[in-house]
Amino acid sequence: MTKITHLYGITVNNLTRHLKTILIVCLWAVIFPASLSSIYAFDNDRLDLTITRFLDALSYKYKGFDIKITEVSVKETFDDNITYANKNEKEDFITNARLGLGVNYEGKTRTFELTGDIGYQAFTKNSNFNNITQHINLNFKNEFSKRDRINLKNVLTHIEAPSSDEEGFTSQQFGRSRGRFEFFQNKFDINYSNDIAKQISLFVKYANEINIFPGSNRSNSFLNKPGMGLSYLFRPTKTIFLFSYDFTSVQFENDQDATIHTIGPGIRQYITKKLFFDGGTGVDFIDSFDDENLTKPFVKTSLTYIVDERTRARLSFDKKYTTSPYFADIFNNWRTSASLTRQMLERLVCSLSIFYGEGEYVSSSFEQRLLGVNSSLNYDISRNLKGSLAYTYSQLGSNSETAEYSKNTIFLGLTAGF
């Protein structure tokens, strides 16, 4: 009985804490719609006009470039385990104020977008955890002709812990080193594709990732990943066949390094107009951090069903040997997720997602099992003003008891987006 209750995190010691969290969720579930209804009772046209005038006063246009404030938000989060601890958990209310700026350009064959935001997280009980977060996103697309194009992306992130209002919050915890720590990450991707025939496309790509942990005993890491491939479209069956090769090189500051050669085919099959399948399999040739040579298969699949304009569902499963920015070790893992998004009303969108993954670091034999559930409500109060409510539960199991934790987060936010 002890093992079963420990697996699902329903031990006598934390039962009270879970019940308290559930009560808080129910309370917010009542307050949130009532608050939105109260706000909606105002003249939304007048509210939109006020925000638009405010935007026009602060925006600036120059030779096709639109410079403006993209977001002003205030968000409140309740977290019952802010340190990801196994025992003596700390709970707190976190206020996050965020300001976003952006530059945008749209031409006939070229688009450019640069956005950034800065946020301040204030902890009610644990002010020593107060911190500043930053995000900078760059997107550039250019069509040289009808046949060839280039797409460039760069994402810079500075955080202390995964943010509960970010997409993929639960999966961000999988394979991660436990606890709170300052983290800089820069991801750069560039992809060039050329339609060498009506149904055949050639693509060349390159990715770079830099991970820096200031004030920590963790080693900084650097990843380089060039690749290339071919895609072929079978028009009658709407099937896209893909064959690709990727080379991954990871270097840690302590001179530990590993390389992975990935070769394999992939496919996208439209079963119906609304249902399609993505799949890929192949082989990874790995030269690990301890100079051990491994040859391992990988599998990646997903099924997407677009029921209608209001409903979308997705199911995925991945199994692969990967590198990690946190440990100089190879992570043998599999993960599965399911998500459902439904536009309940014209202004109300509901979503639910479930994640489960298991993994083991090959050299250290350190194991992780992560279960996560997320549900959210997003309400368009007006054209420029949005409210959101979300609840997330995550539980990490491990063969190291000190690495285990469970946490509940409740998120309530109000965002003015332009």
Side-chain angles (χ1 to χ4, degrees):
M1 177 65 70
T2 302
K3 291 183 178 179
I4 295 175
T5 55
H6 179 71
L7 174 64
Y8 290 95
I10 314 176
T11 58
V12 175
N13 292 333
N14 63 17
L15 179 59
T16 303
R17 178 161 54 87
H18 283 287
L19 289 175
K20 181 169 66 174
T21 302
I22 293 171
L23 288 174
I24 294 174
V25 173
C26 294
L27 179 63
W28 277 119
V30 174
I31 294 175
F32 183 67
S35 301
L36 293 178
S37 298
S38 177
I39 295 173
Y40 189 71
F42 290 99
D43 188 340
N44 283 321
D45 291 336
R46 182 176 299 177
L47 179 62
D48 280 333
L49 181 60
T50 302
I51 295 176
T52 301
R53 286 177 176 175
F54 175 74
L55 169 62
D56 291 339
L58 297 177
S59 64
Y60 178 71
K61 295 183 179 181
Y62 177 74
K63 293 185 177 181
F65 287 89
D66 189 7
I67 305 169
K68 63 182 179 180
I69 293 177
T70 57
E71 175 186 339
V72 178
S73 64
V74 178
K75 305 173 182 180
E76 189 73 19
T77 301
F78 171 77
D79 190 331
D80 69 353
N81 189 358
I82 60 175
T83 58
Y84 300 81
N86 178 250
K87 298 178 180 178
N88 302 318
E89 300 92 336
K90 294 181 179 181
E91 63 180 36
D92 211 333
F93 285 91
I94 309 163
T95 302
N96 190 337
R98 182 180 296 177
L99 173 66
L101 300 172
V103 180
N104 183 64
Y105 172 84
E106 290 189 15
K108 292 182 179 180
T109 60
R110 183 177 302 161
T111 61
F112 171 86
E113 183 181 27
L114 176 63
T115 60
D117 65 70
I118 182 168
Y120 181 71
Q121 292 185 332
F123 289 72
T124 303
K125 299 179 182 178
N126 302 272
S127 58
N128 56 310
F129 287 147
N130 291 357
N131 67 92
I132 296 175
T133 64
Q134 294 100 20
H135 301 84
I136 299 176
N137 299 288
L138 169 66
N139 285 283
F140 174 76
K141 295 180 180 179
N142 187 69
E143 294 183 4
F144 300 102
S145 68
K146 292 183 179 180
R147 290 193 171 188
D148 60 331
R149 63 205 65 86
I150 193 169
N151 187 5
L152 183 150
K153 294 182 180 181
N154 193 86
V155 179
L156 174 64
T157 304
H158 172 215
I159 56 174
E160 262 197 12
S163 175
S164 58
D165 62 318
E166 289 180 354
E167 184 179 355
F169 165 61
T170 303
S171 61
Q172 289 174 12
Q173 300 176 62
F174 190 46
R176 182 180 179 271
S177 182
R178 186 177 64 88
R180 300 186 66 89
F181 48 85
E182 191 176 9
F183 178 39
F184 286 90
Q185 183 182 73
N186 191 82
K187 287 186 173 182
F188 172 83
D189 292 276
I190 186 168
N191 187 310
Y192 170 80
S193 62
N194 186 293
D195 301 332
I196 58 179
K198 287 185 178 180
Q199 296 171 255
I200 303 176
S201 294
L202 168 70
F203 62 87
V204 180
K205 58 183 180 177
Y206 169 74
N208 173 268
E209 184 177 312
I210 301 173
N211 301 282
I212 299 176
F213 307 92
S216 171
N217 57 2
R218 297 170 178 84
S219 296
N220 302 330
S221 65
F222 311 90
L223 177 146
N224 290 286
K225 188 176 181 179
M228 61 183 301
L230 281 170
S231 64
Y232 183 84
L233 172 62
F234 293 89
R235 291 191 182 278
T237 58
K238 294 185 178 180
T239 302
I240 300 175
F241 177 79
L242 173 73
F243 188 86
S244 63
Y245 164 77
D246 293 312
F247 172 74
T248 305
S249 173
V250 179
Q251 176 85 42
F252 279 79
E253 239 179 6
N254 57 11
D255 292 330
Q256 290 183 292
D257 65 320
T259 60
I260 302 176
H261 297 266
T262 302
I263 302 174
I267 190 174
R268 166 170 284 194
Q269 176 66 59
Y270 284 87
I271 301 171
T272 67
K273 291 182 178 180
K274 298 181 178 181
L275 179 65
F276 61 89
F277 169 83
D278 288 295
T281 186
V283 180
D284 285 322
F285 299 95
I286 305 168
D287 182 6
S288 66
F289 293 97
D290 55 5
D291 293 326
E292 182 180 0
N293 292 318
L294 305 170
T295 302
K296 299 293 182 179
F298 69 87
V299 177
K300 185 175 183 179
T301 62
S302 68
L303 187 65
T304 303
Y305 183 33
I306 305 173
V307 182
D308 51 40
E309 293 181 355
R310 292 175 173 265
T311 307
R312 184 185 183 98
R314 188 174 186 271
L315 179 66
S316 69
F317 174 83
D318 297 344
K319 188 181 189 310
K320 188 174 176 62
Y321 284 69
T322 62
T323 59
S324 165
Y326 309 105
F327 305 102
D329 203 345
I330 300 297
F331 191 42
N332 173 20
N333 69 94
W334 67 268
R335 62 189 72 191
T336 185
S337 64
S339 64
L340 176 65
T341 302
R342 170 70 176 172
Q343 186 167 348
M344 306 294 292
L345 302 171
E346 183 180 355
R347 295 174 178 264
L348 181 65
V349 177
C350 240
S351 65
L352 174 66
S353 62
I354 301 173
F355 176 94
Y356 183 77
E358 292 187 4
E360 178 183 10
Y361 283 95
V362 175
S363 297
S364 64
S365 298
F366 174 55
E367 298 177 3
Q368 285 192 355
R369 301 177 302 278
L370 181 65
L371 170 67
V373 180
N374 175 269
S375 61
S376 65
L377 290 171
N378 293 283
Y379 188 82
D380 293 339
I381 301 169
S382 68
R383 187 182 63 183
N384 299 109
L385 192 63
K386 297 184 179 182
S388 54
L389 172 68
Y391 168 74
T392 300
Y393 170 76
S394 55
Q395 178 176 324
L396 183 74
S398 175
N399 56 352
S400 173
E401 186 177 351
T402 58
E404 297 182 330
Y405 66 83
S406 64
K407 66 191 279 116
N408 296 270
T409 59
I410 305 165
F411 164 79
L412 180 67
L414 193 63
T415 301
F418 311 111

